[in-house]
Amino acid sequence: MNNNRSQISGISRTTHMIYIAMFTTLIAIGAFIRVPVPVCPFTLQFLFTTMAGLLLGGKRGAASVGIYILLGLAGVPIFAEGGGISYIFVPTFGYLIGFMIGTFVTGMLAGMPKMKSFGFLIFSNFVGLLIVYACGMAYYYVIGNYVIDSPIGIWPLFLYCFLLAVPGDLVLCVVAAALTVKLRKILGETLS
C-alpha cells in the first residue's frame, strides 16, 4: 500500500514538473509575441504568467516564472531584449520580478476554497497585475535614476510604464480568467 502511494505521488510530481516546464516555455514564447496596438504594443508574457498562477497555483506558478528568469539570467536569450546576468541592469527587469510575485499572489487567491468564480478570477488577476506594475515601476525608477544614469521623472514613468501599457494587460486579465474557466471544465482541477 505504501509503495502504491509513492507511485501515485511520483506520477503527480512528474505531472506537475511537466506543467511547470510547459508554462516556463509559454512565458518564454510570450516574450516574443507582440500584440501591435496603437501607442504601446504589448507581449503575451503577462497572459502566460497569470495563467500559470491560476492553473498551477501560487507556488508552482511562481516556480515556472522563477525558472524562466533563471534561464534568462544564465544567458539563454529568452527575455524580450536578450538574456544574461547583465539583464538585471535593464530597467524593465523589475517587471520580471513582478511577474513571479504577481503569479504567486494570483495563484494563492484563485486557489482559495469557494473562490473560483469568473469574477473572483478576474479580481485575482487584477491584484497580480498591480503587483507586476508596482515592482516594475519601482525597479525602473531606481535603476534609471541611481544605477545606469538614465533619469526618469515620476510623471513620465507613470505615463509610459503604466497608463499607456496597462489597457492591454487589463484585457489579458479577462482573457486569462475566461481561458482558465474553460480549461478547468476540460481538465478539472488536475493542474493545481
Side-chain angles (χ1 to χ4, degrees):
M1 175 99 173
N2 197 15
N3 187 25
N4 190 23
R5 190 176 291 161
S6 68
Q7 285 178 336
I8 291 171
S9 69
I11 292 169
S12 176
R13 196 172 311 125
T14 302
T15 303
H16 288 306
M17 288 172 37
I18 291 168
Y19 286 138
I20 289 169
M22 179 183 75
F23 272 99
T24 299
T25 304
L26 288 171
I27 294 164
I29 292 168
F32 298 100
I33 300 174
R34 298 193 192 293
V35 178
V37 294
V39 183
C40 189
F42 61 95
T43 69
L44 293 186
Q45 274 182 303
F46 178 70
L47 174 68
F48 295 126
T49 59
T50 300
M51 289 190 66
L54 293 174
L55 292 170
L56 302 181
K59 292 178 184 176
R60 292 183 186 99
S64 68
V65 180
I67 292 167
Y68 166 74
I69 293 170
L70 290 174
L71 287 170
L73 290 176
V76 180
I78 55 176
F79 296 148
E81 297 174 30
I85 193 69
S86 64
Y87 207 85
I88 61 172
F89 298 111
V90 173
T92 57
F93 183 73
Y95 289 96
L96 297 176
I97 296 167
F99 284 151
M100 189 165 67
I101 299 168
T103 298
F104 176 79
V105 172
T106 298
M108 296 305 284
L109 287 173
M112 294 170 60
K114 299 183 181 178
M115 298 293 186
K116 298 186 190 257
S117 70
F118 180 71
F120 194 78
L121 291 178
I122 292 175
F123 170 76
S124 301
N125 295 347
F126 286 162
V127 172
L129 181 64
L130 286 175
I131 292 168
V132 169
Y133 276 95
C135 291
M137 291 171 64
Y139 195 91
Y140 198 109
Y141 185 82
V142 170
I143 290 293
N145 288 311
Y146 302 109
V147 177
I148 62 171
D149 196 31
S150 179
I152 186 166
I154 297 294
W155 171 244
L157 178 75
F158 185 71
L159 176 64
Y160 294 113
C161 297
F162 182 75
L163 282 182
L164 295 177
V166 79
D169 288 334
L170 290 172
V171 170
L172 292 180
C173 285
V174 176
V175 170
L179 288 172
T180 298
V181 169
K182 293 285 187 191
L183 287 172
R184 282 182 175 169
K185 285 180 182 174
I186 294 168
L187 302 172
E189 298 294 324
T190 59
L191 294 178
S192 57

